[in-house]
Amino acid sequence: MLQMFNKRMLWAIGVSMICGLPLWAQFRASVRGTVTDPSGAILRGVQVTVTNQQTGVTRTTVTNSTGYYAVPGLPPGTYQVTARLAQFKPEQEVVTVSPD
């Protein structure tokens, strides 16, 4: 009896996870871009912080060798994006993102 219950429970959990994936994916967004200096030169190693203005939740990443950064899997909303690199003044921008 217990073994049958466990199998049914695992099946129910598996089905709910599979069915929930498309819903989760529908309501995700991302912030991505390339960081350059005022002359247009690519900046690598820039710390990019993305803060959800409604919840205060923060995610941080660093630009790669081509100056590119991406912060995927964000709930749609309004975010403050801050870029920081030694010897440069921090730059901030507020963006609104919608599902990908």
Side-chain angles (χ1 to χ4, degrees):
M1 180 75 166
L2 185 58
Q3 189 176 25
M4 184 176 219
F5 174 77
N6 286 341
K7 286 182 183 178
R8 285 186 182 168
M9 186 61 134
L10 286 175
W11 182 82
I13 291 170
V15 169
S16 65
M17 288 175 67
I18 291 169
C19 292
L21 286 176
L23 293 176
W24 180 83
Q26 285 180 357
F27 300 106
R28 296 289 144 184
S30 61
V31 173
R32 55 185 168 243
T34 302
V35 179
T36 60
D37 71 8
S39 72
I42 290 171
L43 296 175
R44 67 182 76 152
V46 176
Q47 179 182 332
V48 179
T49 303
V50 178
T51 304
N52 184 304
Q53 298 291 281
Q54 287 78 31
T55 65
V57 174
T58 299
R59 302 247 324 258
T60 301
T61 190
V62 176
T63 60
N64 65 15
S65 62
T66 64
Y68 179 78
Y69 70 92
V71 181
L74 299 170
T78 303
Y79 291 84
Q80 179 173 316
V81 181
T82 305
R84 288 186 175 87
L85 184 64
Q87 302 174 1
F88 285 88
K89 179 182 122 194
E91 290 291 328
Q92 296 181 347
E93 186 174 340
V94 175
V95 298
T96 300
V97 296
S98 55
D100 288 335

